[in-house]
Amino acid sequence: MIKNITVIGAGTMGNGIAHVFAQFGFSVTLVDIAKEPLEKALATIAKNIDRQVAKGIVSADDKQQTLDRITTNTSIEEGVKKADLVVEAATENTELKLKIFKQADAAAPAGCLLATNTSSISVTRIAAVTKRPELVIGMHFMNPVPVMKLVEIINGYSTSEETTQTIISLSKQLDKIPCVVNDYPGFTANRILMPMINEAIYSLYEGVAGVAEIDTVMKLGMAHPMGPLQLADFIGLDVCLNILRVLQEGFGNPKYAPCPLLVNMVTAGKRGVKSGEGFYTYTAGSKELVVSSQFL
Ligand code: NAD
């Protein structure tokens, strides 16, 4: 029976995952490398619950109860000690994730499930550094976690049927819709999404169309709620770049090579919404979509 959840990484996804588990009554320990990202995550969760209260999704009483279910820790070893399930949502970097899983595996109780929210890194590879590969699985939430219904569940090579069934039923308890897929680079969501985003960036890079035109074509022509360039900013340009590199390396196929413009933007620190600038410029408190001056 899963009661205690430890979420490792308190960034964009980690705070959303902690929020949803706490909202549905689970005890959550949120772990990050320092106090600052943890404090920022708690503030974000509080703000996002306020938004849910304003929309009538939850009551004002639920807010405090949800926040009270979340504790924080800066040590993985301490944070996973009582966990029934660990959900890792740290930076998309293979070496980092392998290190985190070794640490979590060594410190978590026997029988504790270890899930990764990775967008593209092999679950089988992550599982192989642990002594419990049958209990390791991909639990890929979508951004923003409190809003998006899908959980892409990724079976690694050694994931047991029991582990998969537990994560399917847990996802349903969170009012999400699970979809089980197999472990190949990018799984299903990003295998299809990232080449589209990369092609949109190539279209901009080669001068086929401007930022607003590319996004308008995809919004109005394909009924996408957000254009691919805005979506890339929202996901994080660094995250997109990392996923494309995993696809390129995993399949050995040049068609996944990231557009040089994306590489340049990430190198220059333009990571999209989280850095304040990507294809668009973001000002706190403003909802207006302003194309970055670089692309005018
Ligand atoms: P992020 O950069 O917003 O947050 C990552 C967090 O991990 C940071 O707070 C960082 O301090 C923390 N971290 C780094 N090393 C750590 C360690 N050793 N121990 C504990 N915490 C550590 O990244 P994100 O966008 O939240 O992505 C997290 C994961 O979720 C990635 O695997 C990413 O591929 C995946 N993902 C992202 C999205 C998205 O839209 N951003 C969607 C689905 C899945």
Side-chain angles (χ1 to χ4, degrees):
M1 173 92 163
I2 304 246
K3 283 189 187 153
N4 298 323
I5 316 281
T6 299
V7 179
I8 302 179
T12 311
M13 295 304 289
N15 81 62
I17 295 167
H19 173 162
V20 169
F21 273 113
Q23 197 150 49
F24 284 86
F26 295 88
S27 282
V28 176
T29 305
L30 187 54
V31 178
D32 209 299
I33 45 177
K35 278 201 173 141
E36 198 227 319
L38 290 168
E39 278 161 14
K40 197 171 154 207
L42 290 178
T44 304
I45 294 169
K47 199 178 72 196
N48 287 340
I49 302 176
D50 283 341
R51 212 174 281 167
Q52 292 178 312
V53 173
K55 284 185 185 161
I57 299 169
V58 298
S59 73
D61 288 350
D62 290 339
K63 177 180 173 182
Q64 201 48 49
Q65 284 178 17
T66 299
L67 292 174
D68 287 347
R69 290 191 195 106
I70 304 174
T71 53
T72 59
N73 210 306
T74 51
S75 152
I76 290 180
E77 282 76 9
E78 284 292 316
V80 304
K81 253 187 351 206
K82 293 191 184 131
D84 303 311
L85 166 69
V86 173
V87 182
E88 171 276 322
T91 316
E92 185 79 344
N93 173 296
T94 306
E95 292 315 312
L96 174 71
K97 292 203 192 274
L98 298 183
K99 187 174 154 222
I100 290 174
F101 270 78
K102 276 188 204 161
Q103 285 175 285
D105 182 42
C112 170
L113 304 185
L114 303 179
T116 174
N117 185 54
T118 180
S119 304
S120 60
I121 296 167
S122 163
V123 174
T124 305
R125 184 160 179 210
I126 289 173
V129 301
T130 73
K131 294 193 174 69
R132 59 181 96 193
E134 70 287 358
L135 302 185
V136 178
I137 193 161
M139 193 174 190
H140 184 202
F141 290 87
M142 303 293 132
N143 185 14
V145 183
V147 177
M148 298 290 278
K149 283 280 183 200
L150 178 70
V151 180
E152 187 184 31
I153 296 177
I154 304 108
N155 278 330
Y157 190 86
S158 309
T159 308
S160 72
E161 179 60 22
E162 196 185 341
T163 300
T164 310
Q165 289 305 328
T166 305
I167 297 301
I168 289 174
S169 91
L170 190 65
S171 304
K172 289 180 181 165
Q173 282 181 59
L174 301 176
D175 202 21
K176 303 284 184 205
I177 295 167
C179 205
V180 181
V181 307
N182 290 317
D183 184 27
Y184 291 99
F187 320 130
T188 299
N190 283 306
R191 169 101 178 244
I192 297 169
L193 176 64
M194 285 303 153
M196 184 192 74
I197 285 179
N198 202 33
E199 206 57 34
I201 302 172
Y202 263 114
S203 301
L204 177 67
Y205 173 69
E206 290 173 1
V208 178
V211 170
E213 288 72 19
I214 290 168
D215 277 356
T216 302
V217 164
M218 296 305 283
K219 275 193 284 192
L220 301 187
M222 318 298 154
H224 289 193
M226 228 185 236
L229 299 176
Q230 188 188 359
L231 181 58
D233 274 0
F234 185 66
I235 293 169
L237 299 187
D238 51 335
V239 175
C240 294
L241 178 60
N242 282 334
I243 297 171
L244 282 162
R245 286 192 166 137
V246 168
L247 289 170
Q248 186 188 13
E249 197 192 305
F251 291 112
N253 187 334
K255 80 174 179 179
Y256 297 108
C259 176
L261 173 60
L262 174 65
V263 177
N264 261 0
M265 289 174 76
V266 174
T267 308
K270 310 296 179 197
R271 297 185 297 144
V273 176
K274 64 183 153 189
S275 72
E277 191 180 346
F279 296 103
Y280 297 88
T281 304
Y282 302 90
T283 316
S286 166
K287 285 197 170 164
E288 201 193 342
L289 203 51
V290 182
V291 174
S292 162
S293 58
Q294 293 283 340
F295 300 113
L296 290 175

